[in-house]
Amino acid sequence: MRSQFSGLYLRELLRTFRNPFVLLITVVQPFMWLAFFGSSFANAPPSLVESFVGAKSYIAFLLPGTLSTSMLSVGMFGSMSTIQDKRFGFMKRILITPTSKGVIFLSKALGSATRGLVQFPIMVVAALVFGVSFQLSPVEWLAWVGALFCLAIGFSSLFLAITAPSTDWQTPGVVSNFITMPLMFASTALFNGAFFPSWMRAISAVNPITFSALLGRSFVLGTSVPWINLGYLAAFALALLGIGWIVAGRWLKVD
Amino acid sequence: MTAPAIEVKGLTKRYGSAGHGVVALDDVSFSIPAGTVFGLLGPNGAGKTTLIKVLTGISDISAGDATVAGYDVRTQSMAVRSHIGWVAAEVILDDDFTARENLWLQAKLQSLPDWEPRADLLLKYFALYDRADDKVSQFSTGMRKKLEIALALLHQPDVIFMDEPTIGLDVGTRRMLWDIVTGVHREFGVTVLLTTHYIEEADALCDQIAIIDFGKVVAQGTPSELKARVHGDVIALETSRPIDVPRLTAIPGVQDVRPQGNEWMIRATTAEAVLPSLLAAVPAETVRRISIEKPSLETVFLELTGHRLGQDEPMRDIRKFYAQMRQVRK
């Protein structure tokens, strides 16, 4: 099982990082987020920004949220890679070896999550360019990366479970469009939840993106750290990994 | 007596619900002795690929039993997959990887720790060693096919499944593949189950053949045994008007006359002996085409199934289309 997992996991990574276009987009996209979205309050009075988001710099506020929401899209790429393998027959080649469907699922989920984390250092450098300063301890850096990894694992598993029986290219895109918007906006990733209506606040209170954004924000802004959020995100990742494992074992088919 | 490499008993594969679904394999039974090349010969849609899917564990069995390399396909699926290799109809490789990386991945999937000496041996055997570190997307179709067979042989399987291995290949590459299949069987001692709808391929490569049609095995044996089942020649006659069947049947030496599309299949002890009487019995101006076929797997297939293997259905449609066009013009 270890041999099959390491082979398929490395394949996922090699395929991604050998594609110059994917690498370019991976690097450019975070910069664009911070440049376009983060600069929307560039000329606003500091008091307005502080009253709106609770921080002096909107980019410092936005960075942990943007990193969290970008973990949503990594799941989509993971499921697209699965559908590609099914359509080009490679999934059949894998399944005609002693490789369990659970291992295939696990390698795809971890491959997507690892790919997603590549954005982390790029985004931090981008934030430095835009004037954000970081005073995190090594443990806090590690915890922040860990939280994002859990989020990426959870969303990758969710996407892979939803698209397991499908061979349609359109499915991951449709699923992504359907779940990305509510999860992104019904969270504190982009805005302060204090101004939300009660129904959005209810969604935000259980939305894992909120938990990840608040944890990362506490590290960047130097406020009190909600360590419990890390536990919540770990439970989210484990639960969806378990569900994905079961779903893949039952419904991941090429026939 | 050695155990069979593959044994199939009453195998049935049904898609959809019972009663409403499609039966792709219908009570199929056969046994393949270890160390042989066994061919499944049948037209497209006969159930050949489904049989491979079922035997490799890709599809579930609806009814019946099957063992591959001594392992039960239903209950020991992982053990089966450790002992088989697979060559797809369409070449399936990771195009982002080099030949060696494709072999590395296959070794990982088969949990082979010490794979490199064997991989080098196979790369040399298939004359790919010098290109081992090139991306396979730069390979010709023949090279890709060879690499796919090398992947199938890497873990020293007992059985290799080859699903229409030469489909879509030019004549030269097909001949090269035939040599490879024969060589692989001889050099590596594996049992080969190949599916094909090319009669000459089955005849040239296989020790034993099972003829499959509409999900059923209609005959099985060595190519010589199957050919011996057909007594006499077949004269294929195409006419523009209906023929006088009782008159033709009455000709001495004619065994049987039966329609097949726009053609008449006339079975005779010796075609050359009956041909003069036959031509005298059919108005010359109505004869569009006449051909003689000596006993072959083609005539065996025709004899057993009542239709030709391969392109007869589309051809019949084209003839029907031109006939209709002529009617319209008139």
Side-chain angles (χ1 to χ4, degrees):
Chain A
M1 182 174 147
R2 217 182 324 159
S3 169
Q4 286 98 341
F5 172 76
S6 62
L8 292 174
Y9 174 69
L10 280 172
R11 173 176 178 255
E12 286 294 310
L13 297 190
L14 286 171
R15 276 159 57 90
T16 303
F17 296 120
R18 282 181 181 177
N19 186 332
F21 184 69
V22 172
L23 269 182
L24 182 74
I25 296 294
T26 307
V27 173
V28 169
Q29 195 192 23
F31 270 102
M32 284 171 61
W33 257 99
L34 290 184
F36 288 96
F37 204 74
S39 303
S40 50
F41 288 95
N43 292 327
S47 58
L48 175 70
V49 174
E50 195 162 3
S51 67
F52 185 55
V53 299
K56 285 192 173 68
S57 158
Y58 183 58
I59 289 179
F61 175 90
L62 184 66
L63 174 71
T66 307
L67 276 167
S68 303
T69 52
S70 65
M71 296 305 134
L72 266 170
S73 59
V74 304
M76 184 182 78
F77 288 119
S79 57
M80 280 177 80
S81 146
T82 310
I83 285 173
Q84 187 184 11
D85 280 347
K86 285 188 197 175
R87 290 184 74 108
F88 290 113
F90 207 85
M91 188 63 78
K92 217 185 283 180
R93 171 164 297 294
I94 298 169
L95 287 173
I96 303 181
T97 65
T99 306
S100 74
K101 292 174 184 174
V103 166
I104 297 170
F105 157 77
L106 210 59
S107 63
K108 294 277 180 193
L110 260 76
S112 305
T114 311
R115 202 160 40 213
L117 284 184
V118 172
Q119 293 196 352
F120 183 80
I122 300 163
M123 207 80 159
V124 167
V125 170
L128 280 168
V129 171
F130 284 101
V132 177
S133 61
F134 296 95
Q135 269 102 36
L136 280 77
S137 69
V139 173
E140 287 173 331
W141 281 115
L142 214 61
W144 193 7
V145 172
L148 290 169
F149 186 68
C150 288
L151 199 62
I153 286 283
F155 284 129
S156 298
S157 304
L158 178 69
F159 269 97
L160 287 165
I162 292 171
T163 57
S166 177
T167 51
D168 188 349
W169 288 114
Q170 300 175 81
T171 309
V174 169
V175 172
S176 172
N177 284 340
F178 183 70
I179 68 171
T180 299
M181 197 181 68
L183 282 174
M184 186 192 289
F185 290 105
S187 77
T188 59
L190 308 178
F191 306 110
N192 192 340
F195 304 117
F196 287 177
S198 57
W199 62 270
M200 262 176 75
R201 227 178 292 166
I203 300 170
S204 174
V206 292
N207 187 346
I209 292 178
T210 296
F211 283 77
S212 168
L214 289 177
L215 185 74
R217 197 165 290 145
S218 71
F219 294 142
V220 177
L221 301 178
T223 55
S224 164
V225 178
W227 288 104
I228 189 81
N229 288 16
L230 196 56
Y232 182 88
L233 291 166
F236 168 72
L238 283 174
L240 280 159
L241 262 183
I243 292 167
W245 179 282
I246 294 165
V247 169
R250 177 76 184 81
W251 283 288
L252 182 64
K253 285 190 174 168
V254 289
D255 188 19
Chain B
M1 197 177 127
T2 54
I6 297 174
E7 190 150 39
V8 172
K9 284 182 191 159
L11 194 68
T12 299
K13 174 65 188 174
R14 202 177 296 110
Y15 289 101
S17 58
H20 296 91
V22 176
V23 178
L25 294 172
D26 189 2
D27 196 21
V28 170
S29 298
F30 59 80
S31 178
I32 303 179
T36 56
V37 179
F38 188 91
L40 272 173
L41 176 67
N44 292 330
K48 305 185 297 292
T49 300
T50 303
L51 185 63
I52 286 192
K53 281 184 185 173
V54 166
L55 294 179
T56 54
I58 288 284
S59 282
D60 300 330
I61 295 173
S62 304
D65 294 301
T67 59
V68 174
Y71 298 97
D72 191 307
V73 172
R74 275 181 200 270
T75 58
Q76 297 169 295
S77 175
M78 285 295 180
V80 168
R81 293 179 208 180
S82 298
H83 290 82
I84 59 171
W86 175 63
V87 178
E90 67 283 26
V91 185
I92 298 172
L93 299 167
D94 195 322
D95 280 0
D96 293 328
F97 279 16
T98 65
R100 191 177 293 282
E101 286 169 340
N102 271 282
L103 285 158
W104 162 81
L105 183 60
Q106 186 70 9
K108 282 282 187 184
L109 295 175
Q110 287 289 354
S111 302
L112 301 178
D114 191 21
W115 60 278
E116 279 176 285
R118 171 87 175 168
D120 284 343
L121 185 145
L122 289 167
L123 286 167
K124 282 174 188 161
Y125 180 81
F126 289 110
L128 294 171
Y129 191 75
D130 293 340
R131 302 287 305 273
D133 297 313
D134 290 349
K135 273 195 176 184
V136 297
S137 55
Q138 300 164 4
F139 282 15
S140 67
T141 308
M143 290 166 76
R144 290 164 67 83
K145 267 282 175 198
K146 287 199 279 187
L147 180 60
E148 208 185 20
I149 298 172
L151 294 183
L153 287 166
L154 185 65
H155 57 293
Q156 305 189 37
D158 297 323
V159 178
I160 287 191
F161 291 91
M162 293 187 174
D163 191 6
E164 310 251 18
T166 61
I167 196 166
L169 299 181
D170 60 69
V171 178
T173 315
R174 182 176 298 170
R175 291 277 171 194
M176 180 199 76
L177 252 293
W178 285 10
D179 291 342
I180 285 175
V181 173
T182 311
V184 158
H185 169 244
R186 193 180 54 237
E187 298 287 327
F188 297 94
V190 287
T191 304
V192 178
L193 189 159
L194 71 86
T195 68
T196 183
H197 61 254
Y198 298 127
I199 282 170
E200 69 278 18
E201 184 164 291
D203 206 0
L205 296 179
C206 301
D207 301 314
Q208 288 218 41
I209 295 167
I211 293 178
I212 186 166
D213 194 37
F214 293 109
K216 279 181 178 290
V217 171
V218 293
Q220 186 187 335
T222 63
S224 324
E225 282 168 356
L226 289 172
K227 284 176 207 167
R229 291 176 72 148
V230 178
H231 305 290
D233 305 336
V234 173
I235 302 165
L237 176 68
E238 189 184 337
T239 55
S240 57
R241 283 206 297 269
I243 59 166
D244 185 352
V245 176
R247 193 176 164 194
L248 293 190
T249 314
I251 297 170
V254 170
Q255 298 167 352
D256 181 32
V257 178
R258 66 165 96 142
Q260 206 238 318
N262 277 7
E263 290 183 326
W264 292 92
M265 293 295 142
I266 301 153
R267 208 144 53 81
T269 316
T270 311
E272 291 83 353
V274 301
L275 209 53
S277 314
L278 194 73
L279 290 172
V282 180
E285 69 277 12
T286 67
V287 176
R288 281 189 181 151
R289 194 174 67 85
I290 190 160
S291 62
I292 295 170
E293 294 174 40
K294 293 289 174 186
S296 66
L297 286 176
E298 174 79 47
T299 53
V300 173
F301 190 87
L302 184 63
E303 172 84 13
L304 291 167
T305 65
H307 61 94
R308 284 187 185 278
L309 187 68
Q311 300 296 318
D312 58 333
E313 290 300 321
M315 283 303 289
R316 202 187 306 165
D317 289 346
I318 288 167
R319 285 183 197 136
K320 207 181 284 177
F321 169 75
Y322 284 123
Q324 283 169 353
M325 288 296 285
R326 279 194 294 272
Q327 287 293 323
V328 170
R329 282 200 199 112
K330 281 175 190 170

